Amino acid sequence: MDISTDGALLVCSNRDAGTLSVVDLKTKRKLHEVEVGRHPECVTFIGESYDVAVAIYGEDRIDFVNAKSGKKTGSLDVFDEPYSVVSNADGSRLWATLEYPGEVLEIDPAKNEIVRQVQAGSFLRGLALHDDELLVTEYFTGIVKSIDVKDFEVTHEWTGSKEDNICRQITVHPTWSKAYLPHQRSLTEVSHGSGSIFPYLGIVNTDVHDKSVRKRKQMDSFRGTYVVANPWEVAISPDGKRLYIVFAGTNDMYVGDLLDDDYHEVEFAGLLRIGSNPRAVKVSPDSKTFYVYNALDFNVVAYDAATLRQHGEIKVTEWTGTPELLLGKKLFYTANPPMTSRRWISCSSCHPDGNSDGRTWQQPEGLRNTQAVFGLKETHPIHWSADRDEVQDFEHTIRSPLMGARGLIRGRVNDALGKPNAGLSRELDALAAYANSHPFELSPHAKQGLSESARRGKMLFLSSEVGCAKCHSGPYATDLKMHDVGTGRDDPSELMGTKYDTPTLLGVYRTAPYLHDGTAATLRDVLTTTNPKDEHGKTSHLKSSDIDDLVEYMKVLPYELPGSP
């Protein structure tokens, strides 16, 4: 969401609808809703104009729209997964993050072309322009990088804690040398999950180029013991006095007074209960009004900054799916009852937008690397230990110490792998329908077809001598069976045996770390250092170049979608 520099227009991207909405802030009416493509994410006005750039995450494109006319004016193809996009003051340059492969692009909007690009980290999302530098965040680590705009190279980084996780955005103070970023803290060693995920506000002093000079404030204790979950976005008022942060899991907002004291940083000024799954907040140029985008109410709500009272609501789009899928998505993203009892975690805390959180957790049954839910419907059974054969079996998780809720079924729950729990609860069936609705995406490494290296890797992969395809077979690269390939025998906490469900390899290029315990940092490690006895494919006899070819082949999966003609 963004507001034009004159305060006249607001634009917001509607991820589910695939549209960009334009709102007249004087009349509080939607002027246009423009179709842009699958999963639009961040949007920015270009300088002082009414031209807008929006990152089309699901179609690997930056689209350009004139907000006044509601007409698309151009587009620019990029490699993969553009997330954030920002403009400089005069509109002569744009910058965008590519979540994968972790690049920042410099774009000339007048010529509609990429001028420069730099590899700046891993899985980049947040982006902000601060004087003569860009600040960018890594999604899975919360690491902040500084990129010098002139030389276009990474100059500094602030690492925070190894527990920092799920950082989507960063914003800068208009006059102080400070940046603010919302993120989670994931304590992966907590065996039952309870108390393992916390919402944080990170603060970086950009004048001090020391990676240790970084603070964080725990937001579930910002106001006593009031618990909030899934911090999504932070906004700073243009006058530099106020901070606004939304929590998508509990439908809350904190308002804080900013302090330039290098200690407290922000103090409590107000708490608002807002709409469903708030994902964006923006402040008007005069700092008198702030706007919240509620992603699952499909509206933008205006609030008076002085009184914190609502004074306007604009419907910006409509839900395009079934009522069942909407109910399931709301349940998936909420940390409120009936999904939890203590409001500290939602399904999306570990599986945001169907992705993995990139972590390996110490679960009661042993070490478990978080899996993405893409293609879940086609790749049952579920979990590394195949202990569930339907998504409705996650009723046991909802009732477990992890989420601690009463559950969605009224009455007795059938055992996992026993009689079906499907059909016992409308809400649980809706949650299952949503979880099963995430499709696979084509690999960006296959856009130009299979390279010669990938073709050689495919031959090795399919060969009986190497044997990868014995288990990773069929259209989803899994035989849906359990195997002991030696990967769990060194884990003393393993309680369910060392046979694991064959994971799909579709989309494996972006799901590191690998194996059930996350011990393989790269695909090459899967084939070499974590496969010393050739139990996970026969690879010890292969040359280094052969391993490279196998990795290249796995990176292109899927190069065609299952079921494609």
Side-chain angles (χ1 to χ4, degrees):
M1 188 164 65
D2 198 17
I3 298 174
S4 60
T5 55
D6 63 3
L9 299 180
L10 176 148
V11 289
C12 62
S13 62
N14 306 306
R15 192 177 193 276
D16 291 317
T19 62
L20 177 78
S21 292
V22 182
V23 173
D24 184 320
L25 291 181
K26 183 177 181 180
T27 62
K28 294 185 174 62
R29 289 178 53 248
K30 181 176 74 172
L31 297 178
H32 310 288
E33 186 172 359
V34 186
E35 292 187 8
V36 289
R38 286 186 303 109
H39 303 327
E41 289 290 354
C42 296
V43 58
T44 185
F45 279 95
I46 301 174
E48 296 182 356
S49 74
Y50 289 141
D51 292 320
V52 171
V54 56
I56 314 301
Y57 183 89
E59 296 187 9
D60 308 333
R61 212 175 55 242
I62 306 290
D63 275 358
F64 300 94
V65 177
N66 182 271
K68 201 72 173 177
S69 68
K71 303 295 184 182
K72 286 180 67 174
T73 59
S75 64
L76 177 65
D77 291 334
V78 299
F79 179 70
D80 196 44
E81 297 176 345
Y83 191 84
S84 289
V85 57
V86 299
S87 171
N88 61 0
D90 64 12
S92 62
R93 284 291 183 269
L94 295 172
W95 294 273
T97 54
L98 302 187
E99 181 175 332
Y100 185 84
E103 293 180 347
V104 176
L105 308 181
E106 180 181 324
I107 298 167
D108 183 336
K111 296 181 179 180
N112 194 24
E113 66 181 20
I114 297 170
V115 179
R116 293 184 291 182
Q117 57 196 77
V118 61
Q119 183 73 37
S122 177
F123 296 98
L124 304 180
R125 284 207 171 186
L127 183 66
L129 179 62
H130 181 59
D131 296 330
D132 57 354
E133 65 181 357
L134 291 164
L135 298 176
V136 61
T137 66
E138 290 190 348
Y139 182 45
F140 293 123
T141 67
I143 292 173
V144 178
K145 305 285 185 76
S146 170
I147 299 172
D148 180 84
V149 170
K150 180 181 178 181
D151 296 328
F152 214 57
E153 59 183 26
V154 177
T155 56
H156 307 285
E157 73 173 41
W158 297 265
T159 55
S161 164
K162 68 176 183 178
E163 298 155 353
D164 292 349
N165 192 206
I166 310 298
C167 181
R168 300 175 177 88
Q169 180 250 1
I170 186 169
T171 190
V172 295
H173 194 277
T175 56
W176 305 340
S177 297
K178 290 190 176 178
Y180 305 82
L181 53 150
H183 63 87
Q184 288 182 185
R185 180 188 183 195
S186 298
L187 296 175
T188 57
E189 296 84 5
V190 179
S191 62
H192 283 276
S194 179
S196 62
I197 292 179
F198 300 92
Y200 271 82
L201 172 68
I203 302 106
V204 170
N205 187 331
T206 59
D207 263 354
V208 183
H209 291 143
D210 181 342
K211 63 183 180 181
S212 66
V213 181
R214 175 170 167 167
K215 304 177 186 67
R216 61 185 186 186
K217 294 189 71 72
Q218 189 167 323
M219 301 310 289
D220 60 352
S221 58
F222 188 53
R223 183 179 180 244
T225 57
Y226 187 83
V227 176
V228 292
N230 305 129
W232 205 281
E233 186 165 88
V234 168
I236 307 296
S237 60
D239 64 13
K241 296 179 180 179
R242 278 279 174 91
L243 175 145
Y244 304 87
I245 179 169
V246 292
F247 300 92
T250 51
N251 304 335
D252 292 302
M253 167 186 273
Y254 275 136
V255 181
D257 291 325
L258 286 169
L259 307 171
D260 191 18
D261 61 356
D262 293 325
Y263 183 68
H264 293 290
E265 300 288 357
V266 58
E267 61 183 18
F268 176 79
L271 168 68
L272 282 75
R273 294 284 290 149
I274 50 181
S276 180
N277 196 225
R279 292 192 175 201
V281 55
K282 198 72 177 178
V283 189
S284 62
D286 63 7
S287 299
K288 293 181 179 180
T289 306
F290 61 90
Y291 301 87
V292 176
Y293 178 77
N294 299 306
L296 294 182
D297 285 336
F298 317 106
N299 65 15
V300 171
V301 179
Y303 294 86
D304 181 271
T307 65
L308 305 186
R309 292 178 180 172
Q310 178 179 333
H311 64 72
E313 178 182 328
I314 307 102
K315 192 80 168 180
V316 291
T317 191
E318 301 289 341
W319 174 249
T320 57
T322 66
E324 180 187 40
L325 282 178
L326 178 56
L327 173 59
K329 185 165 187 175
K330 286 186 174 182
L331 290 167
F332 188 90
Y333 280 94
T334 189
N336 290 321
M339 291 297 291
T340 72
S341 60
R342 289 162 292 178
R343 293 173 25 104
W344 69 275
I345 187 174
S346 66
C347 300
S348 71
S349 296
C350 299
H351 304 281
D353 290 327
N355 289 304
S356 160
D357 61 2
R359 299 298 197 203
T360 300
W361 292 85
Q362 179 61 69
Q363 300 286 13
E365 64 269 25
L367 292 169
R368 295 295 185 268
N369 180 20
T370 304
Q371 295 175 294
V373 300
F374 295 107
L376 186 65
K377 181 180 179 181
E378 292 82 16
T379 55
H380 288 21
I382 306 168
H383 278 175
W384 286 101
S385 293
D387 57 337
R388 288 167 185 182
D389 57 2
E390 58 175 350
V391 179
Q392 285 87 343
D393 284 343
F394 282 94
E395 175 76 357
H396 292 282
T397 302
I398 297 170
R399 297 187 180 205
S400 75
L402 180 68
M403 302 182 82
R406 61 172 172 80
L408 301 176
I409 293 175
R410 308 297 184 267
R412 185 182 179 278
V413 183
N414 292 324
D415 293 338
L417 306 181
K419 293 181 179 179
N421 284 305
L424 301 182
S425 161
R426 179 179 72 93
E427 292 83 1
L428 188 60
D429 287 346
L431 179 63
Y434 175 71
N436 282 328
S437 71
H438 294 76
F440 287 111
E441 301 283 346
L442 288 172
S443 169
H445 295 283
K447 287 184 176 181
Q448 306 301 321
L450 270 64
S451 66
E452 288 302 314
S453 176
R455 292 181 186 278
R456 293 192 299 268
K458 181 179 180 180
M459 296 297 294
L460 289 167
F461 187 92
L462 296 175
S463 71
S464 58
E465 183 182 9
V466 176
C468 300
K470 290 179 181 178
C471 300
H472 294 285
S473 58
Y476 297 100
T478 171
D479 61 3
L480 309 177
K481 296 178 181 178
M482 303 278 284
H483 299 278
D484 185 341
V485 292
T487 55
R489 298 172 199 163
D490 294 328
D491 177 11
S493 69
E494 178 58 65
L495 297 180
M496 298 187 72
T498 55
K499 286 186 176 182
Y500 301 103
D501 180 47
T502 305
T504 177
L505 294 186
L506 304 191
V508 73
Y509 68 93
R510 59 156 296 144
T511 58
Y514 302 103
L515 305 181
H516 81 282
D517 55 2
T519 52
T522 67
L523 289 171
R524 190 178 184 87
D525 288 333
V526 172
L527 301 170
T528 56
T529 57
T530 59
N531 187 35
K533 297 181 180 179
D534 279 349
E535 295 176 279
H536 193 204
K538 297 178 181 178
T539 58
S540 61
H541 66 291
L542 296 177
K543 297 180 294 185
S544 179
S545 60
D546 293 333
I547 298 294
D548 291 340
D549 291 340
L550 268 173
V551 168
E552 285 303 305
Y553 175 65
M554 287 190 285
K555 284 167 59 178
V556 302
L557 298 173
Y559 56 89
E560 56 185 22
L561 293 177
S564 299

